[in-house]
């Protein structure tokens, strides 16, 4: 027989051989049908989800490539419903969930739950929500760890079994969040140092390693009841680290990862750090007013009182009809001031304090609450002076960068859906005399 004839014969015979071989293997390996195996897989995952008596800590990340950082949730499953709470919404909310399949088990939260769906819900400023998921592929599931992957955005989420009730866990997470405020932390592997720098606003930590000047890694993180946990491990000097406990006394982070050898990091505070309590009190706010065509220096008294202790302040004195919220960056010990709605007027319209750039010709971005200012400190605790500068949120506008240097009063219809126009008169003016705080420069503490 010729080689060609042998090949043709083999080609004809192969489908029969393959069918016979596969059929025998399936009969030997799988006792149940494909659909039965899928249902069993879904049942197994559901049983694991229900098996945690206190529920699970859910490390939840949102934004493309976790760009918004992580947030902590807690969730408990029964046969049909789940109950969830989070650090953003620290109250229990119950809804339905179900297990489906899409080339593997899928966990979907198919009825609205304020805790689980808020970040994925579109809004005025974020018309696509915060790029968050509520349907997840089940990557793996054991009683000690369930790994999920968002079907739409693709971020991983992690379920860790809880040893306490949901709300107790969330309360402890919030307490831990309040206790961690170091700017950097330093650890040592032999004679070499590893430094971690924290960006609490974005829930991000960056690492550098003295033994390798090219080493630079950053990870997003969530808070736990004992410290913080990163999205994925960082390998440095032969150690894999991702999960830290934190001891407020001594500001110590300790790696609890297996094989990390109890690697510890000592927290550091920058020399120019101002603690929250030091910022409370009255100030002279310095800015400029327009007289004819000339800007002249001006100032007025304002007072900072505690809003959310350790996180934000209320600035009063600007107008009797509203106050302005200032944030506190715990990693740097500085104030932040962003665009915000401050009240509604008699017509039901919204009054906004909006970041403006006079240096860019009077440009402003309505309702973009990421634009604003932050402070630097003169370093003198006896005579505190804070200098206002634009924050790091830049936008390209008419081929120039948006740099916040002023604050404009603006009126928008309810829901910030359309502009009514700049407030040029009336009861909402800054200090009763101007609709624009031109070139805000500093605040000097009075007491």
């Amino acid at each position: 027989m010729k080689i060609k004839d042998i090949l043709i014969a083999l080609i004809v015979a192969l489908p029969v051989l393959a069918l016979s071989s596969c059929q025998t293997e399936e009969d030997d390996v799988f006792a149940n049908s494909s659909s039965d195996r899928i249902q069993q897989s879904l049942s197994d995952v559901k049983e694991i989800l229900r098996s945690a008596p206190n529920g699970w800590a859910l490390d939840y990340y949102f934004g493309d490539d976790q760009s918004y950082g992580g947030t902590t949730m807690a969730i408990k499953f029964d046969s049909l419903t789940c109950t969830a709470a989070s650090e953003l919404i620290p109250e229990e909310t119950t809804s339905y969930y179900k297990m489906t399949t899409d080339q593997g088990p899928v966990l979907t939260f198919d009825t609205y739950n304020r805790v689980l769906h808020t970040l994925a819900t579109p809004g005025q400023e974020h018309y696509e929500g915060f790029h968050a998921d509520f349907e997840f592929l089940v990557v793996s599931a054991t009683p000690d760890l369930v790994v999920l992957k968002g079907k739409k955005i693709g971020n991983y989420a992690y379920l860790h079994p809880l040893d306490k009730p949901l709300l107790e866990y969330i309360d402890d997470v919030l307490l831990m969040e309040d206790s961690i405020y170091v700017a950097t932390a330093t650890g040592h592997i032999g004679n070499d140092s590893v430094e971690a720098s924290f960006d609490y606003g974005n829930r991000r930590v960056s690492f550098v390693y003295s033994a390798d000047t090219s080493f630079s890694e950053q990870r997003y993180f969530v808070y736990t009841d004992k410290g913080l946990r990163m999205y994925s491990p960082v390998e440095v000097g032969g150690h894999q680290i991702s999960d830290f406990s934190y001891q407020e006394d001594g500001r110590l982070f300790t790696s609890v990862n297996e094989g990390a050898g109890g690697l510890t990091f000592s927290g550091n505070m920058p020399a120019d750090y101002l603690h929250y309590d030091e910022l409370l009190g009255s100030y002279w706010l310095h800015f400029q007013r327009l007289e004819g065509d000339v800007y002249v220096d001006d100032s007025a008294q304002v007072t900072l009182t505690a809003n959310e202790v350790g996180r934000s302040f209320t600035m009063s004195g600007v107008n009797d009809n509203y106050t302005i919220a200032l944030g506190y960056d715990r990693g740097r010990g500085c104030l932040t001031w962003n665009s915000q709605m401050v009240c509604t007027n008699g017509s039901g319209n919204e009054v906004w304090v909006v970041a403006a750039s006079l240096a860019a010709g009077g440009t402003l971005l309505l309702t973009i609450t990421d634009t604003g200012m932050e402070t630097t400190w003169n370093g003198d605790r006896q005579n505190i002076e804070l200098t206002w500068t634009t924050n790091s949120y830049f936008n390209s506008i008419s081929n120039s960068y948006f740099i916040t240097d002023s604050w404009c009063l603006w009126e928008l219809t309810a829901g910030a859906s359309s502009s009514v126009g700049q407030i040029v008169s009336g009861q909402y003016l800054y200090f009763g005399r101007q609709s624009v705080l031109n070139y805000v420069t500093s605040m000097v503490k009075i007491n």
Side-chain angles (χ1 to χ4, degrees):
M1 182 180 288
K2 295 180 181 179
I3 295 295
K4 180 179 180 183
D5 295 331
I6 294 172
L7 289 173
I8 292 173
L10 284 173
I11 291 170
V12 172
L14 276 173
V16 178
L17 292 170
L19 179 60
S20 174
S21 173
C22 290
Q23 184 64 49
T24 301
E25 182 179 351
E26 183 169 334
D27 289 342
D28 291 341
V29 176
F30 299 114
N32 301 319
S33 68
S34 174
S35 61
D36 287 341
R37 293 194 303 274
I38 290 172
Q39 288 305 313
Q40 185 61 50
S41 175
L42 297 178
S43 178
D44 290 344
V45 171
K46 191 171 184 178
E47 182 59 33
I48 288 173
L49 293 176
R50 295 177 57 195
S51 69
N54 291 301
W56 305 80
L58 171 57
D59 299 354
Y60 184 94
Y61 293 86
F62 54 108
D64 298 331
D65 297 321
Q66 314 98 52
S67 57
Y68 287 114
T71 189
T72 303
M73 298 184 180
I75 185 167
K76 191 175 188 299
F77 297 89
D78 65 17
S79 58
L80 295 174
T81 65
C82 62
T83 299
S86 73
E87 57 174 305
L88 299 175
I89 305 174
E91 56 188 52
E92 292 184 345
T93 304
T94 299
S95 61
Y96 290 96
Y97 77 98
K98 67 180 179 181
M99 299 297 304
T100 62
T101 182
D102 183 3
Q103 299 181 349
V106 174
L107 170 62
T108 178
F109 300 103
D110 57 334
T111 59
Y112 183 77
N113 182 298
R114 194 160 65 96
V115 172
L116 298 169
H117 290 83
T118 293
L119 293 171
T121 303
Q124 176 64 31
E125 184 179 346
H126 298 276
Y127 69 95
E128 294 182 332
F130 288 90
H131 287 212
D133 278 299
F134 53 86
E135 288 188 302
F136 299 90
L137 301 169
V138 180
V139 178
S140 63
T142 70
D144 297 319
L145 176 66
V146 177
V147 179
L148 308 172
K149 185 177 183 181
K151 285 192 66 177
K152 181 180 179 181
I153 306 302
N155 292 323
Y156 286 94
Y158 305 94
L159 289 168
H160 302 266
L162 290 175
D163 59 5
K164 61 186 70 172
L166 301 187
L167 290 181
E168 184 179 339
Y169 179 76
I170 292 298
D171 286 344
D172 288 345
V173 166
L174 292 172
L175 289 173
M176 180 57 64
E177 183 178 348
D178 286 339
S179 71
I180 300 177
Y181 57 88
V182 300
T184 62
T186 304
H188 291 88
I189 300 175
N191 295 322
D192 302 311
S193 64
V194 183
E195 182 165 295
S197 301
F198 295 92
D199 177 354
Y200 296 106
N202 293 303
R203 300 287 176 90
R204 185 172 58 212
V205 56
S206 303
F207 295 89
V208 293
Y209 183 35
S210 65
D212 182 358
T213 56
S214 66
F215 182 90
S216 178
E217 295 279 347
Q218 68 175 27
R219 294 290 188 275
Y220 292 95
F221 68 84
V222 296
Y223 291 98
T224 70
D225 61 337
K226 295 178 176 62
L228 57 85
R229 188 160 47 222
M230 297 188 297
Y231 180 76
S232 60
V234 169
E235 184 169 347
V236 54
H239 296 273
Q240 275 206 343
I241 52 177
S242 64
D243 197 344
F244 290 95
S245 64
Y246 179 72
Q247 182 180 339
E248 187 174 6
D249 182 17
R251 297 177 186 150
L252 288 178
F253 293 91
T254 302
S255 172
V256 297
N257 297 94
E258 185 177 351
L263 180 64
T264 60
F265 288 74
S266 298
N268 312 304
M269 303 303 296
D272 62 348
Y273 191 91
L274 274 175
H275 292 274
Y276 181 87
D277 290 345
E278 294 180 280
L279 289 164
L280 297 168
S282 297
Y283 295 80
W284 287 109
L285 176 65
H286 293 274
F287 50 91
Q288 293 187 336
R289 72 176 187 275
L290 191 60
E291 289 191 355
D293 296 328
V294 179
Y295 288 106
V296 297
D297 291 337
D298 200 354
S299 63
Q301 186 172 329
V302 296
T303 300
L304 300 191
T305 55
N307 183 11
E308 193 175 4
V309 175
R311 301 185 187 184
S312 63
F313 298 90
T314 296
M315 182 168 70
S316 60
V318 176
N319 188 284
D320 290 340
N321 295 289
Y322 58 84
T323 58
I324 294 173
L326 302 182
Y328 176 64
D329 188 321
R330 293 184 299 124
R332 295 180 296 157
C334 69
L335 295 173
T336 61
W337 180 354
N338 286 11
S339 295
Q340 59 195 271
M341 187 189 80
V342 291
C343 66
T344 55
N345 62 19
S347 302
N349 292 331
E350 299 176 355
V351 176
W352 279 71
V353 171
V354 180
S357 181
L358 295 185
T363 305
L364 67 158
L365 297 177
L366 300 178
T367 75
I368 305 300
T369 56
D370 291 320
T371 54
M373 292 179 167
E374 57 191 28
T375 60
T376 56
W377 173 43
N378 65 345
D380 185 351
R381 280 191 160 79
Q382 303 305 313
N383 301 282
I384 293 176
E385 181 174 349
L386 307 174
T387 299
W388 286 106
T389 58
T390 189
N391 68 12
S392 59
Y393 185 87
F394 299 116
N395 291 277
S396 181
I397 301 175
S398 302
N399 297 319
S400 65
Y401 284 109
F402 185 92
I403 298 175
T404 303
D405 55 30
S406 306
W407 293 98
C408 185
L409 278 171
W410 210 270
E411 185 179 353
L412 294 101
T413 56
S417 58
S418 63
S419 171
V420 177
Q422 180 179 340
I423 295 174
V424 294
S425 62
Q427 59 183 324
Y428 300 103
L429 295 179
Y430 295 123
F431 306 109
R433 57 182 183 263
Q434 57 197 91
S435 59
V436 181
L437 281 180
N438 307 286
Y439 297 111
V440 174
T441 56
S442 64
M443 294 202 322
V444 177
K445 194 168 186 182
I446 301 170
N447 55 47

